[in-house]
Amino acid sequence: MTAGLWENWLLPGVWITSQLTLFSAVFAAAVAFGIGIARTSRLWIVRFLTGFYVEIFRGTSALVLMFWLFFVMPLAFGYQLVSMWAAVLALGLTYGAYGSEIVRGAIASVAPAQREAAIALSFSPAQRMRRVILPQAIPEMIPPFNNLLIELLKATALVSAVSVADITFAAQLSRLATGDSLEIYAIILVLYFVLAFVLTRLMRLLERRAKAGIGQAPVKSGKGPLATRKLSARQESEQSSNIITGGAQ
Amino acid sequence: MTWNWDVAKDFLPELGRGLLITLEATALGSILAFALGLVWAMAFRSPTRFVRWPVAAVVEFIRNTPLLVQLFFFYYVLPTWDIKFSALTTGVIALGLHYSTYTAEVYRAGIDGVPKGQWEAATALSLSRARTWTAVILPQAIRRVVPALGNYVIAMLKDSPMLALIGVVDMLQKARAEGASSFQYIEPYTMVGIAFIVIAYPASLLMRALERRLGH
């Protein structure tokens, strides 16, 4: 592979992939918290509508949604999104729906006595959420969010299908230019792995700080530096049911 | 431009043919993922670290890199080694291999969940290693992870449209072909999206019911 390909395509590709991951993650987090909290609402219509959203976006395929936003939306509604933003929208909406289940689960796992105590102290519902529930729920969310973030990073490769010049797109161009399929794809697989590894380390750091904030020590995983995601049997089944669609419990 | 039922009706048979390929890829990919995942999970418990470590490293690497890139890797690199498969076979291999790293974790969690006394009892009865696995550990481990495995089948179904990008004629590829030939985009893409929801949603309800039946 020549220096020109690196400078003109692969390195900018890494930058685009990083940007995509960041923007989609921020958007997905906003959706996840918005929908996740709304699903605990007392109004059935709010619960129903947010539940409907989650089932639709967890039910369909991210790639199909991306094509839909890219090809159908301009024709049907007259809006043409820049392909980068169509990609961010598709990834954010899909992974936001997955993430909302994590938020909902973590909120549900806060001890009921905490909520009751906040009611007894006559906190308003908003104060209750902000001061009591969320500070305890957020550290619980970080490990599953880490898994989801890696899934999101991997899903950003899909944007090459709608001509966003990310790492995968750069690889396709390089392959056409040089024909060194093995070398190019081996290099970008390693690039993705390094990105995933960095993200995992950052999330670990975040988890330690969040847990220290409420006076808990992080759970020692003790599984070597390569192990990114090890879950118990219960968590593993929760994890798997989270990445697919499923009826509200 | 608005929804046109005539276009939708014309696309329906194509969608059906694409659906068959989508389901075929998912089913074959699942079988491969279930089998390979079990191999990885048993290798994780191998007594020698010369097996454990390389397998763990490979599994970790495959799981943390995008399926799409792996798909391209197999599609473009294997022929240069004179291994020639059809696009569908390549897709099934990539899909199965990628998800085997997820099912391996599911099996591992299930195997870890088998009480230690069961291993000890097997040793006390001087069962061979093979008998311990096949008659004692796996029947108990697999039973409790069936819903989790089923969930990954649904995840595989939703990742199968990636195969369209190497030219497998699945539902998404049918929609792309329709768009390219007749410039009708709205109906084909929308119908494909709905088809995924219509399959994935009931399937996931089934898994949820199964999860409750098996008592989690």
Side-chain angles (χ1 to χ4, degrees):
Chain A
M1 201 171 347
T2 59
L5 283 175
W6 271 99
E7 273 166 34
N8 295 325
W9 290 106
L10 268 183
L11 292 180
V14 173
W15 175 232
I16 296 278
T17 294
S18 313
Q19 276 181 308
L20 269 172
T21 310
L22 180 70
F23 295 147
S24 316
V26 170
F27 182 42
V31 171
F33 275 95
I35 300 285
I37 291 173
R39 288 196 77 180
T40 63
S41 166
R42 263 186 304 181
L43 300 170
W44 72 267
I45 183 77
V46 175
R47 282 201 309 271
F48 176 79
L49 288 177
T50 51
F52 186 71
Y53 168 85
V54 171
E55 298 308 345
I56 293 291
F57 282 89
R58 285 204 307 173
T60 197
S61 161
L63 185 61
V64 175
L65 179 64
M66 209 175 285
F67 272 102
W68 196 88
L69 287 178
F70 197 71
F71 289 111
V72 178
M73 215 169 66
L75 294 173
F77 303 106
Y79 287 108
Q80 168 98 53
L81 288 171
V82 182
S83 45
M84 171 102 175
W85 293 112
V88 169
L89 193 62
L91 292 174
L93 288 173
T94 310
Y95 284 83
Y98 296 146
S100 74
E101 286 295 285
I102 295 174
V103 172
R104 189 171 66 112
I107 287 176
S109 76
V110 172
Q114 296 285 333
R115 186 168 293 127
E116 287 157 13
I119 295 172
L121 292 168
S122 74
F123 279 31
S124 73
Q127 281 177 322
R128 211 154 69 209
M129 189 54 83
R130 200 162 58 87
R131 301 256 177 215
V132 180
I133 313 279
L134 281 184
Q136 298 181 66
I138 285 174
E140 291 299 311
M141 297 175 199
I142 293 178
F145 268 152
N146 178 21
N147 284 331
L148 204 56
L149 190 59
I150 307 289
E151 295 296 328
L152 176 62
L153 169 69
K154 284 159 55 185
T156 60
L158 298 178
V159 303
S160 62
V162 291
S163 310
V164 178
D166 76 328
I167 305 179
T168 309
F169 191 78
Q172 276 157 323
L173 284 180
S174 309
R175 184 185 62 79
L176 289 174
T178 66
D180 294 333
S181 307
L182 174 64
E183 189 188 346
I184 290 160
Y185 283 110
I187 288 174
I188 70 160
L189 282 172
V190 172
L191 278 179
Y192 274 109
F193 185 75
V194 170
L195 285 176
F197 186 75
V198 170
L199 283 180
T200 305
R201 290 285 120 184
L202 287 176
M203 290 299 273
R204 283 272 168 81
L205 212 65
L206 208 63
E207 184 187 2
R208 201 166 302 148
R209 298 190 84 173
K211 289 218 159 144
I214 56 165
Q216 288 178 359
V219 185
K220 262 249 182 261
S221 65
K223 291 231 173 69
L226 262 184
T228 44
R229 304 180 272 168
K230 290 274 186 276
L231 303 167
S232 70
R234 185 181 56 81
Q235 286 171 318
E236 190 64 59
S237 89
E238 275 172 12
Q239 168 78 21
S240 72
S241 67
N242 190 46
I243 67 168
I244 53 105
T245 176
Q249 286 161 331
Chain B
M1 230 160 116
T2 48
W3 184 269
N4 184 343
W5 282 109
D6 290 335
V7 177
K9 219 168 72 189
D10 287 346
F11 182 63
L12 204 57
E14 292 290 296
L15 186 74
R17 276 194 285 276
L19 177 63
L20 282 183
I21 299 288
T22 297
L23 293 179
E24 190 184 339
T26 309
L28 294 176
S30 306
I31 293 169
L32 187 60
F34 290 165
L36 267 181
L38 194 56
V39 173
W40 304 145
M42 287 168 72
F44 288 159
R45 296 192 73 100
S46 157
T48 157
R49 61 171 185 262
F50 295 109
V51 174
R52 277 201 310 269
W53 289 0
V55 169
V58 167
V59 165
E60 206 61 38
F61 185 81
I62 295 175
R63 200 177 35 179
N64 284 304
T65 50
L67 172 58
L68 183 62
V69 180
Q70 291 163 6
L71 206 56
F72 287 146
F73 184 93
F74 286 123
Y75 191 64
Y76 292 118
V77 176
L78 287 187
T80 66
W81 296 339
D82 270 331
I83 306 171
K84 292 195 171 65
F85 289 129
S86 70
L88 181 62
T89 313
T90 312
V92 166
I93 292 172
L95 202 61
L97 182 66
H98 189 79
Y99 273 93
S100 74
T101 64
Y102 287 84
T103 54
E105 285 301 304
V106 171
Y107 286 128
R108 183 194 58 79
I111 293 168
D112 286 354
V114 175
K116 208 164 153 245
Q118 300 287 327
W119 289 94
E120 290 164 354
T123 311
L125 293 168
S126 70
L127 295 182
S128 70
R129 227 181 129 63
R131 283 282 287 164
T132 308
W133 275 107
T134 53
V136 182
I137 306 301
L138 289 181
Q140 297 181 68
I142 290 176
R143 190 185 141 79
R144 68 181 75 201
V145 295
V146 166
L149 290 178
N151 286 336
Y152 281 123
V153 173
I154 303 171
M156 253 184 274
L157 171 77
K158 290 191 300 173
D159 270 351
S160 68
M162 279 186 214
L163 270 54
L165 300 179
I166 58 167
V168 175
V169 201
D170 72 335
M171 283 200 284
L172 182 61
Q173 185 67 8
K174 289 281 186 198
R176 290 169 87 199
E178 184 77 14
S181 66
S182 68
F183 300 104
Q184 302 291 350
Y185 291 97
I186 299 182
E187 296 82 4
Y189 281 115
T190 309
M191 283 162 73
V192 170
I194 292 171
F196 273 101
I197 298 170
V198 166
I199 303 169
Y201 185 62
S204 67
L205 290 183
L206 185 74
M207 287 307 139
R208 217 159 266 270
L210 205 62
E211 224 163 298
R212 269 197 295 273
R213 272 284 296 273
L214 292 176
H216 269 272

